[in-house]
Amino acid sequence: MVWRIGGVAVAAEVVVRTGLTYGAAGKLMDVYRPAGASEPVPAVLLWHGRGPDERDVLAPVARAAAGLGVVVLVPDWRPDAPDGGRTHLRESADFVRRNAADFGGDPRRIVLAGWSLGGKAAVGVALNPAAFLDWRPQAVVGIAGGYGSAAPTTGTVPIDDLRLGGSPVPPVPVWLVHGTADPVVDVERSRELRTALEGQGRPVSLIEVATDHAGVIMTEFVAEHGRCLPSTADHAVEAGSRTADLLARAAGITAQRLPVEAGAECLRSR
């Protein structure tokens, strides 16, 4: 299968570069990029959840999204840092904004996305950019996030920021995806945010998928390993593929879904 940019068909081979360093602390970042593109493609900065330095958790969905034609950059960060990880998140955003072109990405078309706590962090940027480098990405994607407590990026509560009415004009589009069987963060959290955004006439969409907290990123928690692993369960493959589609669509690419390849191991979501 192929994806298209500017009407040009491009093979969906994905090139992975692991262990890049960014920021003052030398945190690590992996880059998933589509091979063979003749022009810059949109970039997605994708943040993991609450567990410290868990970039591997997002390997399956990052690879699937890259196969649809975006460069995906997945950094480690530590929510258990004294500042809640804000410095790492800021440094990762600064790195991507400055270096996206080095990986075939278009620095003018960067989508900010996150899963679980990372989703809250991403949506926080959309609703309070002044608290995070005054950055307005092209779009924001929240994957199985909760938005009723403080985001590590801003220190403020995303849904409260929205209700305060301090958002920029035009607003950043918000794309949401959530599993209807999520026992960690209830799907009602995404529904609540969608309703609030719609109430202010802001651009928002919510896709609900029949899976759990791990399945929405194509993984499952395996107790005997004490960690999350890529999943071949039908619900996880379907849900993770739809999440990858959403990342590509938020970046402006309409693509046919590709067969999912098993990615690297991922760590447990906390």
Side-chain angles (χ1 to χ4, degrees):
M1 297 183 186
V2 297
W3 46 268
R4 294 177 178 272
I5 295 179
V8 178
V10 183
E13 178 186 355
V14 175
V15 177
V16 182
R17 184 173 176 184
T18 62
L20 295 172
T21 60
Y22 78 90
K27 305 302 293 179
L28 299 180
M29 178 181 295
D30 297 339
V31 180
Y32 301 78
R33 63 180 181 85
S38 59
E39 59 188 57
V41 301
V44 176
L45 172 57
L46 181 57
W47 289 330
H48 66 70
R50 185 173 299 278
D53 294 341
E54 289 191 342
R55 72 188 192 280
D56 290 352
V57 73
L58 296 171
V61 74
R63 183 183 293 273
L68 295 174
V70 294
V71 176
V72 185
L73 302 100
V74 186
D76 277 340
W77 65 286
R78 295 194 67 96
D80 60 350
D83 66 352
R86 187 179 303 183
T87 296
H88 299 149
L89 295 170
R90 286 183 173 179
E91 288 177 341
S92 71
D94 182 62
F95 178 90
V96 170
R97 293 167 72 187
R98 288 187 293 105
N99 297 290
D102 294 343
F103 307 107
D106 184 345
R108 298 167 301 177
R109 294 184 291 165
I110 299 175
V111 170
L112 177 61
W115 171 63
S116 195
L117 181 61
K120 180 191 298 184
V123 169
V125 173
L127 301 184
N128 189 0
F132 191 83
L133 308 172
D134 280 318
W135 182 35
R136 298 185 66 253
Q138 172 179 315
V140 160
V141 180
I143 305 167
Y147 309 103
S149 58
T153 41
T154 62
T156 57
V157 177
I159 202 161
D160 288 350
D161 288 332
L162 176 64
R163 290 165 176 162
L164 288 172
S167 60
V169 177
V172 174
V174 175
W175 303 66
L176 304 170
V177 58
H178 212 124
T180 55
D182 191 332
V184 178
V185 181
D186 195 281
V187 66
E188 286 296 334
R189 303 289 75 75
S190 286
R191 293 170 179 168
E192 178 185 29
L193 180 63
R194 177 194 57 190
T195 298
L197 286 163
E198 287 176 341
Q200 293 198 9
R202 295 177 60 119
V204 59
S205 69
L206 169 60
I207 293 177
E208 297 185 10
V209 287
T211 193
D212 56 19
H213 198 64
V216 76
I217 54 166
M218 215 177 300
T219 68
E220 61 181 325
F221 178 67
V222 181
E224 55 266 36
H225 290 274
R227 59 189 293 145
C228 196
L229 302 176
S231 177
T232 58
D234 289 346
H235 70 90
V237 171
E238 172 65 19
S241 296
R242 292 188 71 185
T243 297
D245 283 346
L246 187 66
L247 293 169
R249 287 168 51 205
I253 291 178
T254 302
Q256 183 176 5
R257 247 186 284 169
L258 303 173
V260 176
E261 299 177 11
E265 287 188 346
C266 65
L267 304 183
R268 182 180 185 181
S269 167
R270 291 189 280 278

